[in-house]
Amino acid sequence: RAQVIDEERVAMAAAHARTRAAIKALGDDVATERSALEAAVKGAALAESRVRSSLKRDVRASVAQSIHNLTLALAASEGVLHLKLVHEVHIWSSALASNTAAAAEASAKAAARLEALAKGTT
């Protein structure tokens, strides 16, 4: 009977040793997985940071291009407006010259009539 008890103790000690070894192996596996997950999280954070930086650069470049395009469009519209204004000024100037000439002609006719009337009455 003592031998059976000793064999059971040896078997239990062996089972205990295997259990401890299995627990240690599981602990090692958990530590390895944890390290891998931490590395993956760090890698994802780094990738996210790079993507954010790239996105910021792209947005800045896009905004700068939009501002440039708007500036060009504004300059073009100002140029067109300037040309229209110059054209209108030329039209007004021509009309003014024409009106001035017509006024001078009418004034000369009026003066001639007055002179004719003055000669006729004296």
Side-chain angles (χ1 to χ4, degrees):
R1 181 161 164 100
Q3 184 179 355
V4 172
I5 292 174
D6 284 342
E7 288 175 1
E8 286 179 2
R9 281 186 185 162
V10 169
M12 284 179 68
H16 180 70
R18 285 192 303 272
T19 302
R20 291 188 113 202
I23 289 172
K24 184 181 180 322
L26 286 173
D28 292 345
D29 289 347
V30 167
T32 301
E33 287 296 320
R34 181 178 179 183
S35 295
L37 286 173
E38 286 175 353
V41 167
K42 286 180 184 177
L46 181 60
E48 180 186 8
S49 174
R50 287 180 181 156
V51 167
R52 284 179 187 254
S53 295
S54 176
L55 184 59
K56 284 179 185 177
R57 279 193 305 273
D58 291 349
V59 167
R60 284 186 191 125
S62 179
V63 168
Q65 184 63 46
S66 295
I67 290 171
H68 178 71
N69 291 344
L70 288 171
T71 302
L72 290 177
L74 180 61
S77 66
E78 285 177 351
V80 168
L81 180 60
H82 176 74
L83 290 175
K84 285 182 178 181
L85 288 175
V86 167
H87 180 68
E88 287 295 321
V89 166
H90 283 297
I91 290 172
W92 293 337
S93 177
S94 296
L96 180 61
S98 176
N99 290 343
T100 302
E105 184 181 335
S107 178
K109 285 181 182 178
R113 282 187 186 162
L114 284 174
E115 191 176 322
L117 285 172
K119 285 182 184 179
T121 55
T122 36

